[in-house]
Amino acid sequence: MKFLIVDDSPTMRKIVSLALSGAGHEFAEAENGKMGLEKLGAGGYVCVLLDINMPEMNGLEFLEAKGKLPALAAIPVIVLTTQDEEDLRKKALSLGAKAFLVKPFKKEDLLATLAKIGL
Amino acid sequence: MTASKTITISAALLALASAAAALLGAGPAITAILALISSALAAMAAFMPGGLRPAKAGKAAASAAPEGAVADGNAARNEGGEKAAAEASRLARETEDKRAALLDAQESAQAAAQAAAQAAAASALRRLRFADSVLAKVPVKTEEAAFTLMDKLVALRDQSAKAADAALQAEKGVFDSRAVSGLAASARSTIAGVRVALADMRKHDKDSATGLRNLGQELKSGIELLTGIEEITERSRLIAFNMAIEAARMGEKGRGFKVIVGELRALNDRTADFSKQVSELLGRFKKYNESLVQTSMASSGKVAEEVERGIGEEERTIESLLAASTSCVELSDDVTAVVRAMNHELDGILESLQFQDITRQMVEGALETIAEAEKEMAPIAHRDETAATREEDRRRVEELRSILLARAKTRGEKEALQEVKK
């Protein structure tokens, strides 16, 4: 299974990729929402792990744009953010995110969340 | 920016300093920098438009005083004649002079205050820029450190995976060992069976030897019996001789009797030969039997000894194999436990490293605040620089750098401070 990690922090991308590869999954990386949409459009991804606070196109804008593209709308998104705010959580979930994890998160929490959505 | 907003940012930066100190382990330097930023912003607040209000109020009060004095002079001229008018005029002039002198002094004081404010603001601005350049290096440095650490973790995880693989192979070996222990138990049972069979064989050999010895006794008895036959044959030969004498005496009448005597003699001779041959044959049998008893006993003893030694070696091999198998089980269990613990630790480190991203975002927020403060301070700090003010600023920056270097605990902090342009 191939995952797309969308985060402007190289450190976070590396941490998430290590967690995924440790569980035997494949992955690709994007630095912001815009690049994430481009990569997602190429196909082959089962899930997106999305940061919120990013330059160019932030996580909420990514969710909104992805929701308008029928070919991509069904791909599940898990939000990974440092902003532990209830309003943000509600907004992300209303825009189609399947789960909302606050950084720092445990590897087992991430894998349990993936398992919960059948991955 | 208002004074209250500046103070709020200062407080936020101080809070950020504490948080960054806790997260990065580079606390003292960053705390010091942010404390400096905070003090710089506080200094800036003191020279904001709100801070100058008292001086403006004083100027307004000074302006109001001379107008009152002129009005009093005019009233005196109307009521008290020339002298009074002259006195009033003199007083008015004096008042006017005092007013002018007061205004001059006020303007000079205001200009001096303005110059002092500009100098202080310029110094604060320089310190802000210094803090900005140091702070900007924090995310880069922590990211470098995080990546170096993660590369090491990846290498460690690969090694750990290899160890886990080896442990798995060892586990397989353990199953083999368990199979071996099953085989060993079976072999032990077989060896016990062989021992029983060997004991049976010894008993059988012993019985055989006894049987052969008994056979030897029987042969001896047989040879003795043949001696008795020889005696009988000798006697019947003697009888035949006597019968021949009697037949000769009888003449023609004893002819038939003579034939019988002849046959009897022939029978005696054949019996004697047969007896002799049987005796010799039994003698050889007896010798063979004796030899067989000796050889059989010696051979079976040797075979039993060899089998016994072989079984002993087999038993020792099985015991050492079982001991090795037990060690192998324990070792593979230990390796598996260590690998599990190591992977758990790695997961914990990956979780901790996420603080780098949180710190980066906090520092970026602080840098934005500093940039905003710099933008607002720039007009206030605008002034003609002299060699003396430049030298003073340079001295202050170097002093600050020395303090931070003395407080720096890590090499990274020191390098970052040294790299900041003078």
Side-chain angles (χ1 to χ4, degrees):
Chain A
M1 284 191 282
K2 194 171 180 182
F3 291 75
L4 180 63
I5 306 164
V6 186
D7 199 312
D8 60 327
S9 162
T11 306
M12 278 312 301
R13 291 202 301 271
K14 182 95 173 172
I15 288 169
V16 177
S17 68
L18 284 176
L20 291 174
S21 61
H25 299 309
E26 291 178 34
F27 62 89
E29 300 177 19
E31 290 175 26
N32 56 52
K34 195 177 169 187
M35 291 170 77
L37 271 184
E38 284 169 11
K39 287 206 172 176
L40 200 61
Y45 297 99
V46 295
C47 180
V48 181
L49 300 163
L50 179 73
D51 185 25
I52 291 292
N53 189 15
M54 292 182 288
E56 291 280 328
M57 179 188 279
N58 68 31
L60 294 177
E61 290 165 345
F62 173 92
L63 282 168
E64 206 166 352
K66 175 182 160 295
K68 290 176 185 167
L69 298 169
L72 307 180
I75 300 171
V77 176
I78 294 172
V79 170
L80 304 173
T81 179
T82 54
Q83 294 166 269
D84 187 12
E85 294 160 18
E86 194 51 35
D87 288 348
L88 182 66
R89 180 190 295 266
K90 283 180 184 167
K91 179 78 177 164
L93 295 177
S94 72
L95 286 171
K98 291 283 179 194
F100 191 93
L101 281 180
V102 177
K103 299 173 192 172
F105 55 84
K106 290 181 190 297
K107 180 186 162 187
E108 51 262 43
D109 290 344
L110 175 64
L111 297 179
T113 306
L114 292 178
K116 211 177 278 182
I117 60 171
L119 295 172
Chain B
M1 181 187 285
T2 64
S4 64
K5 188 179 177 187
T6 308
I7 288 160
T8 306
I9 292 169
S10 302
L13 285 171
L14 277 173
L16 175 66
S18 304
L23 291 170
L24 292 171
I30 295 166
T31 307
I33 291 165
L34 293 175
L36 283 166
I37 298 166
S38 175
S39 67
L41 291 171
M44 184 184 76
F47 295 103
M48 286 288 170
L52 295 174
R53 264 182 218 132
K56 279 184 180 175
K59 186 176 176 182
S63 301
E67 284 168 13
V70 171
D72 289 347
N74 291 336
R77 189 163 41 197
N78 291 335
E79 291 172 6
E82 286 287 323
K83 194 176 177 181
E87 183 60 20
S89 178
R90 188 186 61 78
L91 280 171
R93 275 198 304 278
E94 278 183 10
T95 304
E96 186 61 29
D97 290 345
K98 282 179 184 170
R99 177 175 171 273
L102 189 61
L103 280 172
D104 286 347
Q106 191 181 15
E107 278 172 10
S108 299
Q110 200 171 342
Q114 186 71 29
Q118 281 180 343
S123 175
L125 187 61
R126 277 169 178 68
R127 282 194 275 177
L128 262 186
R129 284 176 182 155
F130 175 69
D132 185 284
S133 58
V134 172
L135 205 54
K137 288 182 185 298
V138 172
V140 179
K141 293 286 176 189
T142 53
E143 191 164 278
E144 280 173 11
F147 264 80
T148 306
L149 188 56
M150 277 190 284
D151 286 343
K152 288 186 191 304
L153 289 182
V154 170
L156 198 58
R157 195 182 71 176
D158 290 348
Q159 290 298 321
S160 159
K162 282 180 189 167
D165 192 43
L168 271 176
Q169 294 299 324
E171 287 283 348
K172 273 188 174 177
V174 168
F175 288 125
D176 290 345
S177 300
R178 281 170 188 154
V180 164
S181 61
L183 284 173
S186 168
R188 276 175 174 164
S189 167
T190 306
I191 286 172
V194 168
R195 280 216 164 102
V196 170
L198 196 62
D200 286 349
M201 189 184 85
R202 276 178 170 163
K203 187 174 179 296
H204 180 70
D205 281 351
K206 206 173 174 181
D207 290 348
S208 298
T210 306
L212 286 172
R213 279 195 194 99
N214 291 340
L215 181 61
Q217 286 298 325
E218 293 295 328
L219 287 170
K220 195 178 173 186
S221 302
I223 291 167
E224 285 169 3
L225 279 175
L226 284 173
T227 309
I229 291 170
E230 281 173 6
E231 284 174 8
I232 291 166
T233 308
E234 199 58 38
R235 280 186 185 181
S236 66
R237 189 178 285 147
L238 196 59
I239 290 167
F241 181 68
N242 286 332
M243 282 174 74
I245 292 170
E246 288 301 323
R249 276 183 194 164
M250 287 169 77
E252 192 61 30
K253 289 181 182 177
R255 194 186 289 172
F257 196 57
K258 198 178 177 179
V259 172
I260 293 168
V261 169
E263 288 296 322
L264 187 60
R265 277 181 175 167
L267 182 65
N268 273 340
D269 288 345
R270 286 209 297 274
T271 302
D273 284 345
F274 174 75
S275 176
K276 193 181 172 187
Q277 284 174 8
V278 168
S279 177
E280 285 171 359
L281 185 65
L282 288 179
R284 287 203 294 275
F285 268 156
K286 190 168 174 285
K287 279 183 183 173
Y288 286 150
N289 185 53
E290 283 168 0
S291 170
L292 188 62
V293 169
Q294 284 177 359
T295 309
S296 167
M297 288 301 285
S299 297
S300 89
K302 200 174 175 183
V303 167
E305 195 180 316
E306 288 292 322
V307 169
E308 191 65 49
R309 193 164 60 214
I311 286 173
E313 282 174 6
E314 196 69 25
E315 275 183 330
R316 279 193 294 280
T317 305
I318 287 168
E319 291 308 324
S320 64
L321 192 62
L322 284 173
S325 163
T326 307
S327 298
C328 184
V329 170
E330 288 170 0
L331 183 67
S332 78
D333 286 351
D334 287 350
V335 169
T336 308
V338 167
V339 167
R340 278 191 193 130
M342 195 184 286
N343 281 334
H344 185 70
E345 290 297 323
L346 292 184
D347 289 346
I349 293 170
L350 285 182
E351 186 189 345
S352 301
L353 281 176
Q354 293 176 47
F355 282 108
Q356 195 281 329
D357 183 46
I358 297 167
T359 307
R360 180 184 66 90
Q361 292 191 31
M362 289 173 76
V363 170
E364 281 173 1
L367 289 173
E368 280 173 18
T369 307
I370 291 172
E372 192 184 339
E374 278 182 342
K375 198 175 166 186
E376 293 195 21
M377 278 182 80
I380 302 167
H382 182 70
R383 63 180 165 89
D384 293 332
E385 282 189 338
T386 64
T389 56
R390 277 198 298 274
E391 178 54 30
E392 176 60 18
D393 288 339
R394 195 197 61 76
R395 190 187 61 73
R396 282 183 181 173
V397 168
E398 281 309 313
E399 200 175 288
L400 182 60
R401 191 200 305 276
S402 301
I403 292 167
L404 293 176
L405 277 171
R407 287 180 185 170
K409 283 184 177 173
T410 65
R411 199 174 65 182
E413 274 181 80
K414 287 180 180 170
E415 285 174 355
L417 287 165
Q418 296 284 14
E419 281 170 25
V420 175
K421 288 178 185 172
K422 291 181 181 178

